[in-house]
Amino acid sequence: MASDTVYLDYAATTPLDPRVAEAMAMCLQRSGAFANPASQHEPGLQAAALVERARAHVAALIKADPAEIVWTSCATESNNLAIKGAARFYKQRRGRHIVTVRTEHKSVLEACIALEAEGFDIEFLETGAEGRVTVEQLQKTLREDTVLVSIMHANNETGVVQDIERLAPIVKANGSLLHVDAVQSAGRLTLDMQQWPVDLLSLSAHKLYGPKGVGALYVRARPRVRLQALLHGGDQEGRLRPGTVPTHQVVGMGEAYRLAAEEAEADNRRTAALKQRLWHRLVELDGVFRNGAEDACAPHIINLAFAGVHGEALAAELQGLAVASGSACTSASAAPSHVLRAMGVPDQLAHSSLRFSFGRFSTEQDVDDAVEIVRAGVERLRRFSPIWRA
Amino acid sequence: MASDTVYLDYAATTPLDPRVAEAMAMCLQRSGAFANPASQHEPGLQAAALVERARAHVAALIKADPAEIVWTSCATESNNLAIKGAARFYKQRRGRHIVTVRTEHKSVLEACIALEAEGFDIEFLETGAEGRVTVEQLQKTLREDTVLVSIMHANNETGVVQDIERLAPIVKANGSLLHVDAVQSAGRLTLDMQQWPVDLLSLSAHKLYGPKGVGALYVRARPRVRLQALLHGGDQEGRLRPGTVPTHQVVGMGEAYRLAAEEAEADNRRTAALKQRLWHRLVELDGVFRNGAEDACAPHIINLAFAGVHGEALAAELQGLAVASGSACTSASAAPSHVLRAMGVPDQLAHSSLRFSFGRFSTEQDVDDAVEIVRAGVERLRRFSPIWRA
Amino acid sequence: MSLISPQVEQHYRNPCGADAVLTGDNVVSGRAGRLATGAVLELRLQIQGSTIEAASFEAFGCPATVACGSWLAAWLPGRELAEAAALTGLEVARQLALPPLKTGVALVAEDALKAALQAWQND
Amino acid sequence: MSLISPQVEQHYRNPCGADAVLTGDNVVSGRAGRLATGAVLELRLQIQGSTIEAASFEAFGCPATVACGSWLAAWLPGRELAEAAALTGLEVARQLALPPLKTGVALVAEDALKAALQAWQND
Ligand SMILES: Cc1ncc(COP(=O)(O)O)c(C=O)c1O
Ligand SMILES: Cc1ncc(COP(=O)(O)O)c(C=O)c1O
Ligand code: FES
Ligand code: FES
């Protein structure tokens, strides 16, 4: 990428940590662990050993047992496997009622909706302007036939954090399974599978300085959670996920998670400070609003609305600055973000929102440059905005 | 891997071509195309451009249009998406009869069998000792409600090649869809989607000097073949395969396929010669048989039975030589290869078989070393074999 | 931005009639679009007899929306009212090489123009 | 090979009684297992009175199969017939630290031993 672009889109994807790239490169050489980790010959066993070491690193970050980690090809697959897999396996035993939240990632929402065709009954929890689900709401919605509840930890658009520690026991008391999409929170917030009664947890590598194209699903072993596989055809990953395990990819994820265990605290302190710096500067622009709960937010994400200017136009103004525009304008609909709408953000502001997200390589200079670029864009667009009167 | 291991297991997985590793490394640097190819900012568009160039390279090798290539996470997923996706989409229109072959890869067989639970009727074509399906057999088996036929091109255990050019028109004349698993044949045999009436074709990167963890599915555009997706949750890949596209992985596959277009012919001439060299030397051992048609075999695979010795024991003898043992002894059953059994190979010989497979980096020295290692192992084991009398 | 043609790019970066201040008896305005769908366009026309003398716009929307406003503000001055009334959104979309996804934005532009011409008639 | 314990490795690489040639009136043999399941073991015992004097084996099968044969050929000489008859496959599996997957192979070994002892009785 153009080296002069200020990259504040870490929630979309992060660059690799150079140490991760190095660990992967070892597997990519002819002299490295290139063999198929399922092969029973010596080179295969060497690759398998690396795969298992990586599994242990991922497990360690969430305080799980390595045997509870299933490799997948991305968090979209993890979410689909968790939701469809559990729903299909337990529907006879338990029922066909599924509960999730309107602000979930598309891969959760659409996996749930796909299950409607199989006779499942999906119920969506609403969130207030804060973007948070309450204990009372959840309690009211659970039914005897609720087979699965899927609630994300940190939201990818707003950073808003759901209080899994308080919500989880309620789901378990009802005898339902709980799936948590922890893609944005892994390495940013504490995840503790020994303490939290969570059954399934989705993880991704590429939001935490690991490679794209690999993810993981935590599947609780005690009591054992069962799933119906989405793919068939091999004995890999306890038959939950057949296909040759890509050694370099999982080694990259393992190394990324190992580094996170060591460095996340310092990273998070830094990104939280950068986020505050950005907010304090931009709020001076007038008509700038923060979407989502300020006091329950992942350290790396901030979502801001700029009254009077359109997010897509603003994004086009931001030459040299990579951030995410709120509205999903590359998709067929010109609708603004489903997350912001679900939080009751007015249409105008929902269309006017940008997500800024920070990471290990972000600097104060990045923030200061970003502020100048955004200020210029907002000021130009407001000059001919029919809805902005300064 | 131990650099003194002779690696003759290219059909399990290949090492990366160093040029592929280099192309991938460019995407793995912070200064490289690390952004999310779905992002609309400049770095995202740069990544998307690389993804599209890679798609064009893959399409070119099989004479398809780039828009007909869908990225997947591996060929196991390609096979599952093709088979379940087509069967589920067309069942109402066409019927629930599916035809495949007993010698297919597990991911095809198990995907088909998984469909039985949804009311599909799976019929398996038998092969003779040659391992080949005949036109007459296929013709006899097709029914009016046959929705899908899945036949692999080159077999992964024996190298036996099905005559897709003759079989495909028969499937199409019947109005059924045809899926071909071309994982082992891509880059080894000609694949021409302009000439062949094939609807769906599965491809993998890691059998052709590309990375593990990425594959592709060819989906014919004219007439357009429709599929029901396995995963839900994003607009990527025409909604057939949501999830962040892993730029470095698809760039690796693209580069591998680009190189194959240039170098496959020379590679194949070389591997075919190495295979003959191995065969001529080993046949001197007595009681060595070749599994599968000799005259319709992919250039890189040879499967040999060593009478009187067990494949797993032989594999354990072969310190310093990486080849594949026929029987699947790491799985719960001690059954010999389903492929060899389907070909009518007697139990004893099926248990006594090894697959040798060659590739771009194989040398005559590799062959000669392999012959000596195998000879020593076979001779030792035969000395106390209850079923071998020299 | 992949959805942006060179024509849109030009008008978006250097819009025509975005800074013009049109006032007076012979100035009318028309507004179209909804905040909910993310595109609002307001057009002002200064009219003399049956001729449009000057035009300006304000826009809230994606770059294509801004470009539509700018294109109108550049094209309208000097036109007869009848000619302006005959302009369609599809023609605007064609002129700006908008992708199909953005046709809706051009229809908003047509509506804003129609609303302004209607306001003149009602005057 | 991940399914191979050190005990199996030792017996497989250096099997006992694989090369012994036992012949004579007081030699019986027992065979068990099937080619179909990939493990065949043949055991020969040289018996004097109620004592096993010598043993040899032949095996077709995975390393565990070979190791079972070798372990028997090493363990049996000097044993009383009654003691040999009491040996179970599970004990063989335990001695060789076989993984559960390979228990079947040890049961084949037990069967071969039983068959040889039976042949002696029938003699
Ligand atoms: C919260 C959340 N869940 C799931 C995903 C899907 O991740 P992937 O693109 O790796 O499939 C993302 C990434 O966009 C995310 O932010
Ligand atoms: C013929 C064939 N089909 C499918 C596959 C599955 O490929 P992957 O392991 O990449 O999913 C393989 C590889 O083992 C194969 O040889
Ligand atoms: S904002 Fe203009 S179309 Fe989405
Ligand atoms: S060969 Fe011994 S168990 Fe499979």
Side-chain angles (χ1 to χ4, degrees):
Chain A
M1 82 185 242
S3 58
D4 51 354
T5 297
V6 175
Y7 189 81
L8 293 183
D9 202 9
Y10 279 77
T13 194
T14 62
L16 281 195
D17 189 292
R19 294 163 290 184
V20 171
E22 206 176 299
M24 291 173 68
M26 308 271 278
C27 305
L28 293 177
Q29 288 157 16
R30 266 187 61 204
S31 55
F34 76 79
N36 193 320
S39 292
Q40 289 300 303
H41 44 59
E42 198 46 41
L45 297 177
Q46 282 173 25
L50 293 182
V51 167
E52 295 317 311
R53 197 168 67 185
R55 200 189 302 275
H57 290 323
V58 171
L61 189 71
I62 64 169
K63 300 207 168 57
D65 193 84
E68 298 177 310
I69 301 296
V70 174
W71 300 118
T72 66
S73 68
C74 61
T76 293
E77 185 183 347
S78 301
N79 284 341
N80 273 264
L81 176 57
I83 292 169
K84 295 177 187 166
R88 288 173 183 159
F89 191 92
Y90 288 102
K91 68 186 172 198
Q92 243 88 45
R93 258 157 272 213
R94 179 69 198 183
R96 291 174 181 261
H97 184 238
I98 295 176
V99 174
T100 186
V101 189
R102 287 228 183 273
T103 53
E104 292 293 310
H105 188 262
K106 266 201 207 173
S107 53
V108 166
L109 294 177
E110 294 190 15
C112 287
I113 289 166
L115 286 172
E116 278 185 342
E118 298 173 27
F120 287 89
D121 176 13
I122 318 297
E123 198 158 347
F124 298 96
L125 297 172
E126 308 287 340
T127 74
E130 300 271 283
R132 302 191 91 203
V133 168
T134 65
V135 166
E136 297 67 44
Q137 243 181 315
L138 177 61
Q139 228 142 13
K140 213 168 58 202
T141 311
L142 290 173
R143 305 196 315 218
E144 216 191 310
D145 65 339
T146 303
V147 58
L148 178 72
V149 176
S150 183
I151 301 183
M152 79 198 312
H153 196 200
N155 185 276
N156 50 303
E157 289 193 28
T158 59
V160 169
V161 176
Q162 303 296 352
D163 192 351
I164 302 294
E165 276 185 88
R166 289 187 59 213
L167 299 171
I170 292 163
V171 175
K172 296 320 295 174
N174 191 61
S176 311
L177 290 171
L178 176 60
H179 167 249
V180 172
D181 175 347
V183 166
Q184 292 291 346
S185 61
R188 270 109 194 180
L189 303 165
T190 302
L191 294 168
D192 186 342
M193 295 306 103
Q194 270 166 30
Q195 298 296 324
W196 297 12
V198 166
D199 298 292
L200 299 154
L201 185 105
S202 296
L203 299 169
S204 180
H206 75 99
K207 313 280 185 184
L208 197 58
Y209 318 106
K212 289 177 244 314
V214 58
L217 180 65
Y218 160 84
V219 183
R220 182 171 292 281
R222 263 175 302 268
R224 181 164 172 224
V225 174
R226 309 284 301 276
L227 299 174
Q228 186 177 311
L230 291 178
L231 300 180
H232 294 86
D235 294 328
Q236 294 96 342
E237 300 303 294
R239 299 190 70 79
L240 284 177
R241 210 309 180 171
T244 301
V245 174
T247 314
H248 68 291
Q249 293 280 92
V250 305
V251 162
M253 181 162 181
E255 180 67 5
Y257 274 58
R258 189 185 71 74
L259 292 171
E262 290 178 2
E263 303 183 4
E265 233 183 275
D267 284 345
N268 294 332
R269 256 197 315 272
R270 252 175 9 81
T271 56
L274 293 175
K275 185 167 93 166
Q276 279 311 100
R277 185 185 183 96
L278 182 88
W279 167 234
H280 288 311
R281 302 268 165 107
L282 284 181
V283 78
E284 290 171 10
L285 285 181
D286 244 18
V288 179
F289 307 98
R290 192 161 169 173
N291 293 313
E294 203 175 318
D295 55 348
C297 190
H300 64 309
I301 296 178
I302 187 167
N303 192 303
L304 299 177
F306 299 88
V309 310
H310 192 283
E312 200 189 330
L314 185 50
E317 282 297 292
L318 307 182
Q319 308 272 346
L321 172 62
V323 295
S325 129
S327 47
C329 282
T330 51
S331 67
S333 82
S337 148
H338 75 275
V339 173
L340 300 183
R341 269 195 314 189
M343 288 161 59
V345 174
D347 281 328
Q348 191 228 113
L349 291 182
H351 269 296
S352 303
S353 295
L354 293 182
R355 173 187 69 187
F356 300 80
S357 51
F358 303 84
R360 188 172 288 163
F361 310 111
S362 302
T363 63
E364 293 195 344
Q365 188 64 52
D366 287 342
V367 170
D368 297 348
D369 291 347
V371 167
E372 282 325 302
I373 294 170
V374 171
R375 183 204 307 278
V378 168
E379 284 174 355
R380 183 175 90 91
L381 292 174
R382 279 180 175 169
R383 273 208 295 279
F384 52 79
S385 169
I387 57 173
W388 174 256
R389 296 287 172 262
Chain B
M1 82 185 242
S3 58
D4 51 353
T5 297
V6 176
Y7 189 80
L8 294 182
D9 203 9
Y10 279 76
T13 194
T14 62
L16 281 194
D17 189 292
R19 293 163 291 184
V20 171
E22 205 176 299
M24 290 172 68
M26 307 271 277
C27 306
L28 292 177
Q29 289 158 16
R30 265 187 63 204
S31 55
F34 76 79
N36 193 321
S39 292
Q40 288 301 304
H41 45 59
E42 197 48 39
L45 297 176
Q46 281 173 26
L50 293 182
V51 167
E52 294 316 313
R53 197 167 70 185
R55 201 189 301 275
H57 289 324
V58 171
L61 190 71
I62 64 169
K63 298 206 170 56
D65 193 85
E68 297 177 310
I69 301 296
V70 174
W71 300 118
T72 66
S73 68
C74 62
T76 292
E77 185 183 347
S78 301
N79 285 341
N80 273 266
L81 176 56
I83 292 170
K84 296 177 187 166
R88 287 172 183 160
F89 191 91
Y90 288 102
K91 66 185 174 198
Q92 243 89 47
R93 257 157 272 211
R94 179 69 198 183
R96 290 173 183 261
H97 184 238
I98 295 177
V99 175
T100 186
V101 190
R102 287 228 181 271
T103 54
E104 293 292 311
H105 188 263
K106 267 200 206 173
S107 53
V108 166
L109 294 178
E110 294 189 15
C112 287
I113 289 166
L115 286 171
E116 277 184 341
E118 299 174 27
F120 287 89
D121 176 12
I122 318 297
E123 198 158 348
F124 298 96
L125 297 173
E126 308 287 340
T127 73
E130 300 270 281
R132 301 191 91 204
V133 168
T134 65
V135 166
E136 297 67 43
Q137 243 181 316
L138 177 61
Q139 230 143 11
K140 215 168 56 202
T141 311
L142 290 172
R143 303 194 318 216
E144 216 192 309
D145 63 339
T146 304
V147 57
L148 178 71
V149 177
S150 183
I151 302 183
M152 79 199 312
H153 195 201
N155 185 277
N156 49 302
E157 290 192 26
T158 59
V160 169
V161 175
Q162 304 296 351
D163 193 351
I164 302 295
E165 277 185 88
R166 288 188 59 212
L167 299 171
I170 292 163
V171 176
K172 296 319 297 173
N174 191 60
S176 311
L177 290 171
L178 176 60
H179 166 249
V180 172
D181 176 347
V183 166
Q184 292 291 347
S185 62
R188 269 108 195 180
L189 304 166
T190 302
L191 294 167
D192 186 342
M193 295 306 104
Q194 271 166 28
Q195 298 296 325
W196 296 11
V198 166
D199 298 293
L200 297 154
L201 186 106
S202 296
L203 299 169
S204 179
H206 76 99
K207 313 280 185 183
L208 197 58
Y209 319 106
K212 290 177 243 315
V214 57
L217 180 64
Y218 161 84
V219 183
R220 182 171 292 280
R222 264 174 303 268
R224 179 163 173 227
V225 174
R226 308 284 301 277
L227 299 174
Q228 186 178 312
L230 290 178
L231 300 181
H232 294 85
D235 294 328
Q236 295 95 343
E237 301 303 294
R239 298 189 70 79
L240 283 178
R241 211 308 179 172
T244 301
V245 175
T247 313
H248 69 291
Q249 293 281 91
V250 304
V251 162
M253 181 162 180
E255 181 67 6
Y257 273 58
R258 189 184 72 72
L259 292 171
E262 289 178 3
E263 303 183 5
E265 233 183 275
D267 284 345
N268 294 332
R269 256 197 315 273
R270 249 172 13 79
T271 56
L274 293 175
K275 185 167 92 167
Q276 280 311 100
R277 185 183 183 96
L278 181 88
W279 168 233
H280 288 311
R281 303 266 165 110
L282 284 181
V283 79
E284 289 172 10
L285 284 181
D286 244 17
V288 179
F289 308 97
R290 192 160 167 173
N291 293 314
E294 204 176 316
D295 55 348
C297 189
H300 65 310
I301 297 178
I302 187 168
N303 192 304
L304 299 177
F306 300 87
V309 310
H310 192 281
E312 200 189 331
L314 185 50
E317 284 296 292
L318 307 182
Q319 308 272 345
L321 171 62
V323 296
S325 129
S327 48
C329 281
T330 51
S331 67
S333 81
S337 147
H338 74 275
V339 173
L340 299 183
R341 271 194 313 187
M343 288 160 61
V345 175
D347 281 329
Q348 191 227 112
L349 290 181
H351 269 296
S352 302
S353 294
L354 292 182
R355 174 188 68 188
F356 300 80
S357 50
F358 305 84
R360 188 171 288 163
F361 310 111
S362 302
T363 62
E364 293 195 345
Q365 189 62 54
D366 287 342
V367 171
D368 297 348
D369 291 348
V371 167
E372 281 324 302
I373 294 169
V374 171
R375 184 204 307 279
V378 169
E379 284 174 356
R380 182 175 92 91
L381 292 174
R382 279 181 176 169
R383 273 209 293 281
F384 53 79
S385 169
I387 56 174
W388 174 256
R389 296 289 172 261
Chain C
M1 306 286 292
S2 58
L3 293 172
I4 294 186
S5 63
Q7 292 91 321
V8 168
E9 178 83 24
Q10 169 64 23
H11 275 287
Y12 171 69
R13 299 263 170 246
N14 307 290
C16 311
D19 288 320
V21 186
L22 301 182
T23 45
D25 267 7
N26 57 343
V27 171
V28 289
S29 76
R31 184 171 176 138
R34 291 185 305 126
L35 286 174
T37 56
V40 174
L41 194 65
E42 185 166 326
L43 203 63
R44 266 159 204 273
L45 306 178
Q46 182 178 311
I47 298 172
Q48 194 69 50
S50 66
T51 310
I52 299 172
E53 282 193 335
S56 73
F57 80 97
E58 292 187 319
F60 169 80
C62 60
T65 313
V66 175
C68 286
S70 167
W71 187 88
L72 283 177
W75 184 83
L76 287 168
R79 306 276 163 188
E80 292 298 297
L81 291 177
E83 195 181 353
L87 182 72
T88 65
L90 292 180
E91 174 62 15
V92 176
R94 209 178 58 78
Q95 291 286 339
L96 288 169
L98 298 187
L101 198 58
K102 294 290 187 187
T103 309
V105 162
L107 299 179
V108 168
E110 177 182 325
D111 288 351
L113 174 56
K114 294 247 159 79
L117 295 173
Q118 188 66 46
W120 178 251
Q121 288 203 333
N122 294 354
D123 238 27
Chain D
M1 307 287 292
S2 58
L3 293 172
I4 294 187
S5 63
Q7 292 91 321
V8 167
E9 178 84 23
Q10 169 64 24
H11 274 285
Y12 171 68
R13 298 262 169 248
N14 307 290
C16 311
D19 287 321
V21 187
L22 301 182
T23 46
D25 268 5
N26 58 343
V27 171
V28 288
S29 76
R31 183 172 178 140
R34 292 185 304 126
L35 286 174
T37 56
V40 175
L41 193 64
E42 185 166 327
L43 203 61
R44 265 160 204 273
L45 305 177
Q46 183 179 310
I47 299 174
Q48 195 67 50
S50 67
T51 310
I52 299 172
E53 282 193 336
S56 74
F57 80 97
E58 291 187 318
F60 169 81
C62 60
T65 313
V66 175
C68 287
S70 167
W71 187 88
L72 283 177
W75 185 83
L76 287 168
R79 307 275 162 189
E80 291 299 299
L81 290 177
E83 197 183 350
L87 182 71
T88 64
L90 292 179
E91 175 62 15
V92 176
R94 210 178 58 78
Q95 291 286 341
L96 288 170
L98 297 188
L101 197 57
K102 294 291 187 185
T103 308
V105 162
L107 298 178
V108 168
E110 176 182 327
D111 287 351
L113 174 56
K114 294 246 158 79
L117 296 174
Q118 188 68 45
W120 177 251
Q121 288 203 328
N122 295 352
D123 238 24

